[in-house]
Structures are given as C-alpha cells and as structure tokens.
Amino acid sequence: MQTFKALLPQTRTSLRTLYSYRRAFSAQPNYAEHDDDDSQEQILVEGRAKSRAAILNRPSSLNSLNASMVGRLKRLYDSWEENSDIGFVLMKGSGRAFCSGADVLRLYHTLNEGNADEAEQFFKTLYSFVYLQGTYLKPHVAILDGITMGCGSGISLPGMFRVVTDKTFFSHPEAQIGFHPDAGASYILSRLPGYLGEYLALTGDKLNGVEMIACGLATHYSLNARLALLEEHLGKLITDEPSVVEASLAQYGDIVYPDKSSVLHRIDTIDRCFSHDTVEEIIEALEKEAVDSYDNWCSTTLRRIREASPLSLKVILRSIREGRFETLDKCLVREYRMSLRGISKNVSSDFFEGVRARMVDKDFAPKWDPPSLKEISEDMVDYYFSPLESELVLPTALREPYM
C-alpha cells in the first residue's frame, strides 16, 4: 500500500502546458447577453483585480445544476478565456454546498412530461462544459466547501486547483437512483489509487476533504474559517501564472493526513475485493472478507451495494474499467451515450424508479427492474454503451485532451 504522504497530489499544471498556444483575445464581452433572469441569479459573477469568480447560487437546492445554469457557466467561461484582462478564474458555491450534482428532480419531471429533447440538451451542455473545464487555458480554482456530489465533481475536479475544507464531503451516489457517475466521473474515479474508484462508484460512500487530498482528488486544504482570507488574497492577485496562484493557495493551506477511521486505511482490502472483473465476484470477495475478518465495514459495504440498482452496478463497473484507458473526451462521449440510454426506458426504468423512491415518494423501497444481477443479460449492459444516432461532439481539434 502506498503511504498517504506518497499519495499527496501535485498540481495539475504538468498535465498540460497552459499556454501552449495563445488565442486572439476579444474585447470585454457582454456576459449576460444570452442569459435569462433566473440563470443570472443562480450563477452570480464577482469581478476582481485580474480574475473572475462564478458563484453557484441555489443554496435551497444545494446548488444543484439545471440547464440554464450550465449554459450560463459555459458562456461565461468561454468569454473569460478569451479576455486578456482576466488572468484566472474561480468557482465556488453559496450556502452549505459547493454543488450537489444535477437537479435530478427537475430532470425526472421533465422526462415524465415528455421533454426528452430538453434533457438531452442538458447533458450535452453539461459534458461540453466539463470538457472546457478540463482543457481550460487559464488557471482555475474550485473551492469545494461543503457538499460535492455527482456532476458537482465534474464541473470542478478536471480544473487545475481544487481546494477542500473541513466541511467538504464528496460522493457519487448515482447507483442508488439507478443512474451512473457521469460528467467525467469515469475518467476521474478510474485514476484514483488502486480500485478506490470502483469502491466509491459502486457504494456511493463519502470522502471528506482530508481524504480527497490524500487520494489526489484535491490539491489544497484550508479550514473553512480561513476561506475568507484566502479569497481576499486571491482577489488581489494580478497574474495569469499558475505558479503564483498555487503559491497563494499554499500560503493559506494546511498539511493534513487521514485519521485512523478513514476508509483509505482499508485500501488493501478494497483492492482485494474491488479488483475483480464482475460485480458478482466483488460481492463474493466482500462476503468472504466479512467471514474472515468479522469487520462491520464489509457488512456495510455489502448493504450499500445490495441497495443499488443491479443494472446500474454492472454498467458502472464497466464504465470505470473502460475509463482507465480513455482520455477525458472519450469518457464524456461514452457517458453521454450511457446517460441518454439510461433515461430512455428502452431497457429499464431504474432511473425513474430510483428517483421516485428516494426523492419523490421517499419510501426508500425501489423496485428495480431487473431485480437481481443474475437476470441482467450482457445485451442489456451493451445497450448502454452502444453508439447514438447523434453523438456528443467535442472540440478536440481545438482543445487537445489529455490522459
């Protein structure tokens, strides 16, 4: 097992040369030109000396993302990248969440009303923004203070700097609602140490800010009480140099290590159990581990897996495994297929049933279809990965992806 000190991440600057080419920057744009009143209220903008901040502002909904918010984010980020007066960009959330993911309830009702095209456009815009974030030419700082779930990680973790706090927790609970970790999650999770990504995706377990630092999801840690000072300092910076931004983050950061109760101390067990090729084999390994070790963690992990959609479990495991060998753009194109297949009801209605059980009726008793792993055929899983008539197209010729 790697030591946690060895797992502490380096900044993402080395993954791509930030200014390998320069664009002809435009004059100051009209940011609100295409935005409605709702999106302007839900994505606030703060102008600073040499930077801009985008603030997710739906605190009553834990800053969950809807179509208008994602569209505004993409327009803002496009314009900021082209503006030579802006050196770097920051993103944060209002209230007790950074971003709890997509507005799943709105998506659920939209689909039930027959507006599949609207849902398709949401995913297309979201994944296009994730790709923009992952290939952004300017330094980017995401302050993940509070709840960071689902595609909340997709709009932030592909960026250069990710700041977490003592109030941060991260999770991908999509299997519990019959969906899959998307918005680049198969790229991000598949690059975690060992088989931690498979564990997080299949169980929906949470990581805190310290654990995110240790496994490489975050680059800097700061106490929530010090964020105001950190933001004030960043707001005064007049730079477009990643090294200057990084030094400022480090100045207000803390060196931290996971405590004894952290799941990261179980990385050997996770690797033994979650390295298997099928969900059935993973469950069998966990059952054996539970008998041999008398460890309650094994029982809890098994319970989480058994509560999830069986079809989602199979789809998710394949997605993470394929993500290990794909660039960000390839992961997003595949996840786009999976998402549209998952909301189509052609093979299963598990997404609708999962949302109903957990967020609408709140009986927490979903009736999955198929109800068990043994009833899921290979063709069912293959369907989620099959090409669409209209695929997601990303500007890879202009914005080179990275591994």
Side-chain angles (χ1 to χ4, degrees):
M1 178 181 174
Q2 301 179 64
T3 64
F4 288 118
K5 187 173 182 180
L7 289 179
L8 287 176
Q10 302 297 313
T11 63
R12 295 290 293 277
T13 314
S14 60
L15 290 175
R16 58 194 187 277
T17 304
L18 259 281
Y19 293 99
S20 56
Y21 65 92
R22 298 269 186 175
R23 298 183 178 183
F25 290 113
S26 63
Q28 182 81 9
N30 178 3
Y31 302 132
E33 184 177 356
H34 302 287
D35 296 321
D36 56 35
D37 291 339
D38 283 347
S39 68
Q40 290 186 54
E41 288 296 320
Q42 294 169 357
I43 302 289
L44 303 178
V45 173
E46 285 184 359
R48 301 171 180 195
K50 184 70 174 177
S51 64
R52 294 293 183 274
I55 305 168
L56 310 183
N57 189 43
R58 291 184 74 202
S60 62
S61 300
L62 300 179
N63 298 323
S64 59
L65 296 171
N66 57 41
S68 62
M69 291 171 71
V70 175
R72 176 162 162 81
L73 280 172
K74 188 170 186 308
R75 288 188 292 273
L76 287 170
Y77 272 64
D78 279 333
S79 65
W80 290 343
E81 188 177 61
E82 297 288 344
N83 190 337
S84 59
D85 292 331
I86 297 172
F88 66 96
V89 176
L90 181 145
M91 184 189 291
K92 64 178 183 176
S94 299
R96 64 189 184 94
F98 167 69
C99 176
S100 62
D103 189 339
V104 174
L105 267 178
R106 180 165 178 170
L107 189 62
Y108 170 87
H109 291 301
T110 295
L111 289 164
N112 280 333
E113 290 164 5
N115 297 323
D117 290 346
E118 186 178 328
E120 180 178 331
Q121 187 59 46
F122 168 75
F123 286 116
K124 185 175 294 185
T125 307
L126 173 62
Y127 296 176
S128 296
F129 178 70
V130 172
Y131 188 69
L132 174 64
Q133 178 73 278
T135 57
Y136 210 58
L137 296 181
K138 296 184 177 183
H140 185 269
V141 179
I143 299 180
L144 312 179
D145 183 39
I147 298 165
T148 304
M149 294 168 58
C151 67
S153 66
I155 64 169
S156 56
L157 297 186
M160 186 177 295
F161 302 116
R162 292 91 63 198
V163 181
V164 292
T165 75
D166 50 313
K167 294 186 180 297
T168 301
F169 81 74
F170 162 92
S171 70
H172 272 286
E174 289 90 343
Q176 307 295 321
I177 59 166
F179 202 59
H180 67 100
D182 69 326
S186 64
Y187 178 88
I188 293 164
L189 294 177
S190 65
R191 281 154 178 78
L192 295 181
Y195 293 88
L196 180 63
E198 282 88 339
Y199 166 75
L200 294 172
L202 294 175
T203 66
D205 197 12
K206 303 179 183 70
L207 296 182
N208 61 31
V210 176
E211 291 166 328
M212 290 179 72
I213 285 283
C215 71
L217 285 169
T219 59
H220 296 81
Y221 183 93
S222 175
L223 293 174
N224 168 271
R226 300 176 68 182
L227 279 183
L229 291 173
L230 170 61
E231 287 191 53
E232 182 181 2
H233 183 75
L234 289 174
K236 294 176 181 177
L237 290 181
I238 301 178
T239 187
D240 58 5
E241 290 296 329
S243 60
V244 176
V245 177
E246 199 282 330
S248 297
L249 294 172
Q251 181 180 343
Y252 288 88
D254 299 281
I255 297 175
V256 289
Y257 297 94
D259 61 33
K260 292 181 180 179
S261 65
S262 171
V263 71
L264 297 185
H265 290 293
R266 300 180 184 273
I267 195 73
D268 287 341
T269 305
I270 287 172
D271 286 353
R272 273 198 306 275
C273 296
F274 285 83
S275 59
H276 293 282
D277 292 335
T278 68
V279 177
E280 291 91 340
E281 289 171 329
I282 289 171
I283 291 173
E284 185 178 343
L286 283 165
E287 289 173 338
K288 182 178 184 304
E289 194 76 32
V291 170
D292 294 344
S293 66
Y294 300 100
D295 190 340
N296 286 335
W297 174 84
C298 295
S299 301
T300 301
T301 301
L302 281 166
R303 176 180 55 77
R304 286 177 173 146
I305 290 176
R306 287 167 174 154
E307 288 175 351
S309 156
L311 180 56
S312 286
L313 292 173
K314 290 207 170 228
V315 168
I316 288 168
L317 182 60
R318 177 169 163 181
S319 177
I320 301 298
R321 294 288 161 82
E322 291 192 7
R324 288 176 178 267
F325 305 100
E326 294 177 335
T327 53
L328 176 61
D329 62 300
K330 297 295 185 185
C331 287
L332 289 167
V333 169
R334 173 175 44 72
E335 290 170 3
Y336 181 70
R337 294 172 182 171
M338 295 164 63
S339 294
L340 295 198
R341 297 302 192 192
I343 63 174
S344 70
K345 297 185 180 182
N346 288 341
V347 167
S348 172
S349 299
D350 276 3
F351 170 71
F352 297 88
E353 177 61 11
V355 175
R356 180 208 64 76
R358 288 191 169 266
M359 305 180 75
V360 181
D361 297 337
K362 299 183 181 179
D363 57 26
F364 298 93
K367 295 177 175 59
W368 302 124
D369 181 27
S372 66
L373 292 168
K374 65 183 180 182
E375 295 173 77
I376 297 170
S377 69
E378 194 171 318
D379 286 344
M380 289 179 180
V381 178
D382 287 343
Y383 173 76
Y384 282 75
F385 296 81
S386 60
L388 301 163
E389 282 189 22
S390 179
E391 296 273 54
L392 177 67
V393 178
L394 297 169
T396 53
L398 297 175
R399 314 184 70 91
E400 185 178 354
Y402 55 88
M403 285 298 291

